[in-house]
Amino acid sequence: MDILQCMRAFTAVAGQSSFTGGARQIGISTKLASKYVARLEEHLGAQLLHRTTRSVTLTDTGQAYLERCLPLLDQLDELEGVIQERQSELGGLIRLTAPTGFGSRELVQALMPFQQAHPKVQIEMQLSDHHVPIVEEGIDLAIRFGQMQDSTLVARRLCDMRRVVVAAPDYLARHGTPATPAALADHNCLLLQPSGQPDHWRFHEGGATTEVAVGGSFRANSPRAVGYMALGGQGIARCPYYTVQRFVEAGQLQLLLCAHEDAPLPLYVVYPPSRHLTARIRALIEHLAQWFRTAPPVSLGD
């Protein structure tokens, strides 16, 4: 019996509270995950999981074993990483999560040279516009915008991104150009739904921070969708600059109220504080920090 395989299967199933979810996380069949956990229980002479048709939960013994099992597996990964680092060849799996729009284009652009330099590193990317619980899901790294809400995670700032207000020249020709943030109340504003208060836009004015109540005919949970709607002349949008930069540079969208822009949106890479970072994960963090420091995100286009 490979005890390490059994331990990895157990921790994945426990983290997902599901044999199916745990098996999917480590890339094996549900049947094999169940077999590995049963073998581990037989080896230990103890029941680690309560199984019903609807759920999988830890026994008290299983909880105690899990708490000791996770750091051991992390240390093993770290040990393997040290050997790889000495051999100057990184390998193994990195699981990361990122926002859908940013992850599918800008992050992919950043990951390409890393994978070209380290072809034995496998990257599994989970894209979601909601914060994935990285500890519970077995995620190594998460890419997140905005101020960190979870103080239990370690966060490294990658860069700051402008949040800009834009509109198409033909919209401005039809409806006028707002000279002050307050003038936005008279315009059709295109709202980015995931933000905390999508119908309140924050600006700097007269040395102070102000909020302007806005409204309009379109809302979306994607900054690119909002940008494209503005590109079509349907209203005024507020979104990260990288999503509209190429349209601004081409003259298809016009920047508005630049003197009143809110503070930039920070971009972080985060990971659990208890996670022993392997050489491959440390290398990816350093690569991303260097990439976004020297090459701020620019949209790849369609």
Side-chain angles (χ1 to χ4, degrees):
M1 179 182 70
D2 187 336
I3 188 68
L4 290 175
Q5 281 186 324
C6 295
M7 290 169 68
R8 292 189 189 281
F10 164 68
T11 57
V13 170
Q16 297 288 322
S17 298
S18 163
F19 278 96
T20 301
R24 185 184 305 116
Q25 179 179 305
I26 58 176
I28 63 176
S29 69
T30 303
K31 183 177 180 180
L32 188 56
S34 179
K35 182 178 180 181
Y36 281 152
V37 173
R39 283 184 176 179
L40 183 62
E41 289 178 321
E42 181 181 355
H43 171 72
L44 297 172
Q47 183 178 355
L48 302 176
L49 297 172
H50 291 300
R51 303 159 174 82
T52 69
T53 55
R54 294 186 177 181
S55 66
V56 176
T57 58
L58 287 163
T59 64
D60 289 342
T61 301
Q63 181 64 46
Y65 187 73
L66 179 66
E67 290 172 359
R68 290 159 178 80
C69 196
L70 286 171
L72 285 175
L73 292 174
D74 280 343
Q75 288 173 25
L76 177 63
D77 287 340
E78 185 178 25
L79 179 60
E80 291 178 350
V82 169
I83 300 302
Q84 291 174 356
E85 198 167 25
R86 286 180 178 273
Q87 294 176 335
S88 300
E89 186 173 29
L90 299 179
L93 177 64
I94 300 176
R95 295 185 177 92
L96 63 85
T97 182
T100 304
F102 183 79
S104 61
R105 291 189 179 182
E106 283 70 33
L107 184 56
V108 165
Q109 186 183 32
L111 291 174
M112 285 180 185
F114 180 82
Q115 291 216 280
Q116 289 168 359
H118 307 290
K120 290 189 177 181
V121 173
Q122 303 165 4
I123 293 179
E124 181 181 298
M125 187 160 60
Q126 180 179 342
L127 300 180
S128 174
D129 289 321
H130 301 284
H131 280 188
V132 175
I134 62 178
V135 175
E136 294 83 349
E137 294 289 337
I139 301 294
D140 297 304
L141 299 173
I143 305 299
R144 291 182 177 171
F145 285 100
Q147 297 303 323
M148 291 296 99
Q149 303 299 318
D150 189 345
S151 61
T152 66
L153 299 176
V154 178
R156 178 163 178 179
R157 199 169 188 139
L158 297 177
C159 66
D160 292 324
M161 298 189 182
R162 291 175 63 190
R163 285 178 283 190
V164 298
V165 178
V166 295
D170 66 320
Y171 173 87
L172 299 175
R174 286 182 283 118
H175 300 282
T177 300
T180 65
L184 292 170
D186 298 324
H187 286 269
N188 187 49
C189 292
L190 312 170
L191 307 183
L192 184 58
Q193 192 63 47
S195 58
Q197 289 185 299
D199 53 359
H200 284 76
W201 291 358
R202 193 164 58 184
F203 295 93
H204 286 294
E205 196 168 17
T209 299
T210 62
E211 284 193 353
V212 176
V214 295
S217 59
F218 182 78
R219 294 175 180 237
N221 66 351
S222 163
R224 277 202 172 80
V226 169
Y228 274 111
M229 191 62 74
L231 185 66
Q234 299 305 303
I236 296 177
R238 181 173 179 264
C239 51
Y241 185 45
Y242 75 87
T243 62
V244 295
Q245 181 174 353
R246 66 192 178 101
F247 302 126
V248 171
E249 292 174 349
Q252 296 172 282
L253 286 174
Q254 182 176 324
L255 292 173
L256 307 174
L257 305 171
C258 293
H260 302 289
E261 281 181 17
D262 193 12
L265 194 64
L267 178 69
Y268 292 95
V269 56
V270 304
Y271 54 90
S274 59
R275 183 67 48 86
H276 293 279
L277 297 181
T278 62
R280 61 182 177 274
I281 294 176
R282 289 199 304 271
L284 179 55
I285 292 173
E286 291 302 322
H287 168 77
L288 293 175
Q290 176 69 17
W291 177 272
F292 288 116
R293 182 167 57 249
T294 59
V298 179
S299 176
L300 290 172
D302 294 321

